[in-house]
Amino acid sequence: MRKRFWFLLFGLSQSLAAAPATVHPELAALAEGAPYPATLVVKAPGMASPWVSALAPAERRSVPASTFKIASTLAVLEAGLAANADTVLPWDGVRRDREEINGPLALRDAFHRSALPHYQALVARLGPSAMAAFLARVGYGNARSDDTVEFWLRGPLAISPLEQIAFLEALSRGALAADPEAQEQLWALMEKAPLGGRPWRGKTGWSRPPGGPDVGWFVGALEVPAGHCFVALRLEADHPPAATFLPQREALARVALSRIPGCGG
């Protein structure tokens, strides 16, 4: 009954319109000095619209890569494919280069270790029709999926940095067109080690879509006395070395927060 109530309350779909944005000189300078082409978005508490490093890139969509694990975890929890963050996901028995994902993993660990095979299995269990309906309902990016388990890595799913912020902000308030309890579970599951002694949530992503460039993401939320600071960072480069490309994602996102008053600046 509870699930039916929230479904009727929100209706069949919800469009998450990204708020108008303003260029912030500190973010523009940070993006200009980044080792790879970067797009930065930060939304501080009390601000009606986000700050961006540049308007056009912040509005442009690209594949979400593993930041899609935020949305897919919500879909999985809502559908009952996992009861909570401690639900153990089975391993397919295939050994891969990343030893930390070779084995059964709790949903929380699969999320933070970005265990692609475990999540591909979950998306397959959910099924393409249910996933398409979920994406349309919660208003995630262009809400386009297909019957593969790579649509968030290779397309057609795409989302902009501004839309990433809008989705994360709605999730923090339990305002997505999704089961409220599942939203609460996901928000708790996303928590990482504290940043500056404050609760810090987020997810990285990296993908090499057909035709390039490589796309690297970090999206996150930092709790501050006035509320939450939301950040989205996207890096794009042609076949960058992982050793330098991957660490820059969260590192630049943290620097971006430090430049904004109310978020560390």
Side-chain angles (χ1 to χ4, degrees), residues 140-218:
Y140 187 89
N142 65 2
R144 294 179 59 196
S145 58
D146 58 25
D147 59 0
T148 72
V149 288
E150 291 192 332
F151 60 82
W152 61 94
L153 299 169
R154 301 176 61 84
L157 186 62
I159 191 168
S160 72
L162 281 169
E163 289 171 328
Q164 291 268 31
I165 293 288
F167 188 86
L168 202 57
E169 184 178 19
L171 173 64
S172 73
R173 296 184 283 108
L176 293 171
D179 179 35
E181 183 178 335
Q183 293 184 71
E184 290 178 10
Q185 289 179 311
L186 171 59
W187 190 246
L189 176 154
M190 288 175 59
E191 191 162 347
K192 298 161 58 70
L195 177 60
R198 297 170 178 170
W200 174 231
R201 294 171 171 85
K203 186 71 191 74
T204 55
W206 181 26
S207 181
R208 186 165 285 168
D214 283 30
V215 179
W217 285 100
F218 181 82

Side-chain angles (χ1 to χ4, degrees), residues 23 107 133 144 160 173 219 227 249:
V23 173
L107 180 62
R144 294 179 59 196
S160 72
R173 296 184 283 108
V219 297
R249 298 168 301 171

Side-chain angles (χ1 to χ4, degrees), residues 46-175:
M47 296 294 294
S49 61
W51 296 110
V52 299
S53 54
L55 287 172
E59 294 171 344
R60 178 171 49 81
R61 290 169 168 164
S62 55
V63 294
S66 282
T67 65
F68 181 62
K69 287 183 173 69
I70 298 173
S72 57
T73 300
L74 179 59
V76 162
L77 288 168
E78 181 182 272
L81 297 181
N84 52 50
D86 296 319
T87 297
V88 175
L89 308 180
W91 179 42
D92 61 9
V94 178
R95 300 203 70 84
R96 297 173 174 87
D97 292 340
R98 297 179 57 217
E99 189 59 37
E100 69 272 20
I101 66 170
N102 289 331
L105 293 173
L107 180 62
R108 178 188 294 104
D109 294 330
F111 179 90
H112 287 289
R113 297 181 194 181
S114 214
L116 176 61
H118 297 69
Y119 267 84
Q120 287 179 315
L122 284 171
V123 170
R125 286 177 60 197
L126 184 65
S129 296
M131 178 58 77
F134 171 82
L135 292 174
R137 174 160 43 89
V138 299
Y140 187 89
N142 65 2
R144 294 179 59 196
S145 58
D146 58 25
D147 59 0
T148 72
V149 288
E150 291 192 332
F151 60 82
W152 61 94
L153 299 169
R154 301 176 61 84
L157 186 62
I159 191 168
S160 72
L162 281 169
E163 289 171 328
Q164 291 268 31
I165 293 288
F167 188 86
L168 202 57
E169 184 178 19
L171 173 64
S172 73
R173 296 184 283 108

Side-chain angles (χ1 to χ4, degrees), residues 18-49:
T22 304
V23 173
H24 193 292
E26 289 281 355
L27 296 184
L30 183 59
E32 181 68 23
Y36 301 100
T39 304
L40 293 155
V41 182
V42 175
K43 191 167 190 294
M47 296 294 294
S49 61

